[in-house]
């Protein structure tokens, strides 16, 4: 059972099929813009850039992409943590240091 969002399920489904699995795709999430169009995230990232937070912790590649977009090329003076290598890669690819 692949429960990823429809537009993110294909690579995992193919890898499983290549290994002989019978795959059922059943997306249980959809990646959509927040109701506030990202205003809360932008405000939090602005505060972080201004030194208001010691850490930014990102828990998914989707979240990492949103944080990178909100940073808009600015650096963060604190430390950054990423849950998992793909999440870290999203941040590293954009030029951000991942401390944990």
């Amino acid at each position: 059972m692949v429960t990823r969002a429809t537009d993110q399920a294909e690579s995992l489904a193919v890898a499983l099929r290549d290994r002989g699995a019978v795959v059922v795709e059943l997306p249980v999430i959809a990646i959509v813009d927040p109701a506030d169009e990202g205003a809360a995230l932008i405000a939090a990232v602005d505060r972080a850039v201004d030194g208001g937070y010691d850490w930014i912790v990102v828990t998914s590649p989707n979240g990492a992409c949103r944080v990178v977009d909100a940073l808009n090329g600015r650096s963060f003076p604190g430390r950054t943590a990423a849950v998992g290598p793909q999440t870290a890669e999203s941040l590293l690819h954009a030029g951000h240091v991942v401390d944990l």
Side-chain angles (χ1 to χ4, degrees):
M1 181 85 49
V2 175
T3 59
R4 292 181 176 173
T6 300
D7 61 336
Q8 297 179 343
E10 187 63 22
S11 63
L12 177 58
V14 167
L16 291 169
R17 285 187 189 104
D18 288 349
R19 289 165 180 77
V22 175
V23 176
V24 175
E25 292 186 37
L26 181 65
V28 296
I29 64 167
I31 309 302
V32 299
D33 289 328
D36 71 353
E37 298 178 9
L41 175 63
I42 291 168
V45 168
D46 289 346
R47 183 173 177 200
V49 168
D50 290 339
Y53 298 114
D54 295 326
W55 284 86
I56 291 178
V57 179
V58 185
T59 61
S60 73
N62 292 312
C65 290
R66 300 247 181 186
V67 167
V68 166
D69 288 346
L71 283 166
N72 196 25
R74 299 174 295 170
S75 62
F76 168 57
R79 300 180 76 189
T80 303
V83 177
Q86 288 182 318
T87 304
E89 181 59 34
S90 298
L91 295 164
L92 293 167
H93 183 72
H96 299 284
V97 174
V98 176
D99 300 293
L100 178 66

